[in-house]
Amino acid sequence: MLIVDDDDVDREHLRRLLRKVNAKVEIVEAIDQTSALQLLAEGRVFDCVFLDSRLPDGDGLDLVDRFAKLSTVVFLSGTDDKTVQNEALFRGAKACLGKGAVSLKSLNQTISLHS
């Protein structure tokens, strides 16, 4: 699984929850668009990509369609902007979660629906 998020606390929270869902899951992290795109350029493929809406070097929406071709994309947003969430779904995200709503239950539901 890949977590693309520039916030250390948010990445740590998601990493801990993912370990509770599956203790053996491999988790790779990227802190910006550049490092996420580098992983794609290296041919890395992930079952699931958790993609933050705002990154220091661009908009997370710009990455959705690139990752959605090979992976299940879960779009994470710190706001409840339905326009952005709808755009993420239109571009290929399978789910949109508010960062405040990311919990063990929501991850279990999201991963089981799309695995």
Side-chain angles (χ1 to χ4, degrees):
M1 296 198 182
L2 173 64
I3 301 170
V4 183
D5 196 321
D6 61 315
D7 188 288
D8 294 338
V9 174
D10 289 340
R11 283 195 323 274
E12 175 64 24
H13 175 67
L14 189 53
R15 188 172 48 248
R16 286 176 190 234
L17 291 174
L18 288 170
R19 292 264 186 244
K20 287 181 181 179
V21 171
N22 180 351
K24 296 181 181 184
V25 69
E26 177 190 6
I27 299 171
V28 176
E29 298 179 16
I31 60 169
D32 53 23
Q33 276 193 353
T34 302
S35 56
L37 290 171
Q38 179 61 39
L39 291 168
L40 275 178
E42 293 170 2
R44 298 288 304 264
V45 177
F46 303 94
D47 292 336
C48 190
V49 176
F50 294 89
L51 181 57
D52 188 15
S53 61
R54 292 186 183 153
L55 298 166
D57 58 349
D59 192 325
L61 276 174
D62 296 333
L63 296 177
V64 173
D65 52 351
R66 293 179 184 209
F67 279 103
K69 292 175 185 174
L70 303 169
S71 307
T72 296
V73 174
V74 178
F75 192 72
L76 303 172
S77 179
T79 69
D80 288 334
D81 187 340
K82 298 297 182 201
T83 304
V84 172
Q85 292 174 3
N86 288 335
E87 181 65 20
L89 293 169
F90 177 76
R91 292 185 184 199
K94 297 298 183 197
C96 293
L97 297 175
K99 283 191 170 187
V102 176
S103 66
L104 189 56
K105 181 179 179 181
S106 67
L107 283 182
N108 268 321
Q109 290 174 338
T110 301
I111 292 170
S112 66
L113 286 174
H114 303 289
S115 54

